[in-house]
Amino acid sequence: MAAAVHRLALSARRCTCQISARVPVRVQAPIRPSRAFTTSPITRRKDDEDYNDDDNPINSSRTPSSLVESLDPHDRAFYDSLSPSERKEFEENARKLDEHMTSSAVEARLSAAVSQAVHEVSLESPQSDALPTRIKPGFMAMGEEDEQGTGEDEEFEDDDISSLGHGELEQHREMREYARIAAWEMPLLIKLAKPYEPPAQDRPLRFRYTTYMGEKHPAENKVVLEFCTKDLPGLTEEQRIKLVKLVGVRYNPETDVVKMSSEMFESQAQNKRYLGDLVDTLMREAKDSTDLFTDVPLDFRHHKFITRPRFPEHWRMTPERKQQLEATRRQRYLLEQEKAEQGQQVDGVKLIETMLRSARVRDESAVLLEVQQNVKGKGKGKRPNKPRMR
């Protein structure tokens, strides 16, 4: 008989609405932010394909025959092995268990326990409708995709210097690196030094380039050409003047230098080649004697002549000028000595003392009395009326 009750308990444990022994049983569900909307036991819908109401061992309308049919093969073999009295007792215990499980008190306790379990599960599991938390990129991965998964920087715990301190330290390292280069590597460049050789007479063209030390810049392809018209070989004076008229505003009349530049091509070699071809064209046109542009006057209005003041030549301290100044000073000194011997020299100190002795001294008491009388006389008499404005 004990074995039959044990089998019956196992059948009750396989109920779909069973609860865990760890969940506390309460009569009334507590009021929480997330709770169930009903107090009825949670069951599956009847329209589910795998739902069968006969599989539920706790059903008040179930008959003993339906209970026997709902047993699995192992429990059915155990039920068939019982005697008729044991079968009757088994069915009676099943009926009592069914009535107990379907009572209102048990249903309320089960509903409260299920609501509590659902609430705890909802608190533990993340909400599906919540937005995913965005991890802020760290300082080292700022502006780049976080491929290595470094994530956000750790919270500063005062165990290291600040980012500003790291920047200063990095700048100090860079300065020391350049100091080492200047001390140990730059002196080795003296082996590559070449003596300066001025440009020869057959190289009148001077090209100037611009570099930005390996960095890409839109102005690095610019090439500037300068040459003096008098240094160009094979040109007469008439041809040189015609060349000056052809170049126009690119000519500087003060220095006799023509300056041209080109940056229309992508490389410096192309711009240099273009300027060289342009000079050849100007030379060919200047040597063309069919028309020397003699009727066209020279126009230098594009150039502003700046008059710079110069130190006068006769003011410069030359040896002759020094001798002249010394003779003038010596002559003046002798003239003053001659006046002093004759008594004709004026002594400023003595003259001032003589003027002070000859000046009339005023009585200070009389001056004070006069001032007091003038102060007492003020304010007497009727004050004149001011004219009114109409």
Side-chain angles (χ1 to χ4, degrees):
M1 186 62 189
V5 176
H6 180 67
R7 289 292 181 179
L8 182 59
L10 292 178
S11 300
R13 290 181 181 178
R14 287 197 297 269
C15 176
T16 57
C17 58
Q18 65 179 351
I19 60 175
S20 176
R22 298 180 180 179
V23 179
V25 179
R26 299 182 182 179
V27 178
Q28 185 178 0
I31 300 176
R32 295 183 179 275
S34 176
R35 58 188 181 87
F37 291 97
T38 178
T39 57
S40 59
I42 299 177
T43 57
R44 293 182 296 179
R45 293 183 303 174
K46 294 186 178 182
D47 54 352
D48 292 344
E49 296 179 357
D50 57 347
Y51 179 81
N52 188 5
D53 189 60
D54 295 338
D55 294 340
N56 192 357
I58 305 175
N59 196 343
S60 58
S61 61
R62 178 170 297 180
T63 59
S65 59
S66 61
L67 176 62
V68 174
E69 294 175 358
S70 63
L71 297 176
D72 56 4
H74 183 73
D75 294 339
R76 181 62 182 272
F78 174 76
Y79 178 80
D80 294 340
S81 63
L82 298 177
S83 61
S85 59
E86 292 178 349
R87 291 180 181 179
K88 187 176 181 180
E89 186 178 358
F90 181 83
E91 294 174 358
E92 182 67 20
N93 293 332
R95 184 183 62 79
K96 292 181 179 180
L97 181 61
D98 189 8
E99 293 177 355
H100 173 73
M101 296 298 294
T102 56
S103 62
S104 59
V106 175
E107 287 183 356
R109 292 165 58 188
L110 288 174
S111 178
V114 170
S115 299
Q116 178 68 16
V118 170
H119 175 67
E120 293 178 357
V121 170
S122 63
L123 292 179
E124 295 177 0
S125 60
Q127 299 180 1
S128 59
D129 57 346
L131 296 176
T133 56
R134 180 176 177 272
I135 300 177
K136 301 171 71 175
F139 178 77
M140 303 304 296
M142 188 175 297
E144 302 178 358
E145 296 183 0
D146 194 5
E147 298 179 355
Q148 299 180 356
T150 55
E152 190 176 359
D153 292 344
E154 298 180 357
E155 185 177 358
F156 185 67
E157 298 179 356
D158 296 331
D159 57 348
D160 194 3
I161 61 177
S162 61
S163 58
L164 184 61
H166 278 289
E168 294 289 341
L169 189 60
E170 186 66 25
Q171 184 180 5
H172 183 71
R173 293 195 187 101
E174 185 177 1
M175 293 176 63
R176 294 192 63 180
E177 180 182 1
Y178 284 116
R180 287 192 295 269
I181 293 175
W184 302 103
E185 297 183 13
M186 293 185 68
L188 300 178
L189 297 177
I190 194 64
K191 300 178 181 179
L192 306 177
K194 297 181 180 179
Y196 173 73
E197 297 179 0
Q201 192 68 22
D202 57 345
R203 295 181 181 180
L205 303 182
R206 297 185 296 272
F207 294 93
R208 189 178 73 235
Y209 310 95
T210 305
T211 179
Y212 292 88
M213 305 301 293
E215 296 183 3
K216 189 67 177 177
H217 196 275
E220 65 180 355
N221 57 345
K222 182 178 180 180
V223 180
V224 182
L225 169 64
E226 294 181 356
F227 62 90
C228 185
T229 59
K230 295 181 180 180
D231 295 340
L232 296 177
L235 289 180
T236 62
E237 185 64 21
E238 292 80 5
Q239 295 174 354
R240 189 185 71 84
I241 295 176
K242 182 180 179 180
L243 177 64
V244 171
K245 295 177 181 178
L246 290 174
V247 296
V249 297
R250 298 171 181 83
Y251 177 73
N252 188 350
E254 288 187 313
T255 58
D256 191 34
V257 174
V258 178
K259 182 178 180 181
M260 297 183 296
S261 63
S262 175
E263 53 181 346
M264 64 175 64
F265 300 102
E266 296 182 358
S267 63
Q268 294 179 348
Q270 291 175 320
N271 290 315
K272 181 180 180 181
R273 180 63 180 272
Y274 169 75
L275 292 175
D277 296 342
L278 187 59
V279 172
D280 293 340
T281 305
L282 291 173
M283 292 282 292
R284 184 170 59 253
E285 293 294 334
K287 292 180 180 180
D288 188 6
S289 59
T290 56
D291 188 5
L292 295 177
F293 296 165
T294 55
D295 55 337
V296 179
L298 291 171
D299 188 7
F300 299 142
R301 289 178 295 177
H302 62 276
H303 182 75
K304 294 182 180 181
F305 292 89
I306 301 175
T307 304
R308 295 179 176 84
R310 296 184 178 180
F311 196 80
E313 293 289 339
H314 60 279
W315 286 7
R316 294 186 177 181
M317 190 61 65
T318 59
E320 295 80 7
R321 179 65 176 170
K322 289 182 180 180
Q323 293 178 3
Q324 182 182 359
L325 291 176
E326 289 177 0
T328 305
R329 292 169 184 170
R330 190 181 300 108
Q331 185 179 0
R332 188 179 301 172
Y333 177 74
L334 295 176
L335 182 61
E336 290 179 358
Q337 281 186 350
E338 184 179 355
K339 287 182 179 182
E341 292 176 357
Q342 297 177 2
Q344 298 179 0
Q345 188 176 10
V346 178
D347 192 354
V349 178
K350 293 181 180 180
L351 181 61
I352 293 174
E353 292 178 354
T354 305
M355 293 297 295
L356 290 177
R357 284 194 299 266
S358 62
R360 182 171 59 91
V361 180
R362 300 182 63 183
D363 190 3
E364 296 182 358
S365 60
V367 174
L368 181 59
L369 181 60
E370 184 181 357
V371 172
Q372 291 177 357
Q373 291 177 357
N374 293 335
V375 172
K376 291 180 180 181
K378 290 184 179 180
K380 293 183 178 180
K382 188 176 181 180
R383 191 174 186 180
N385 297 328
K386 293 183 180 179
R388 297 182 180 179
M389 301 297 295
R390 292 184 180 180

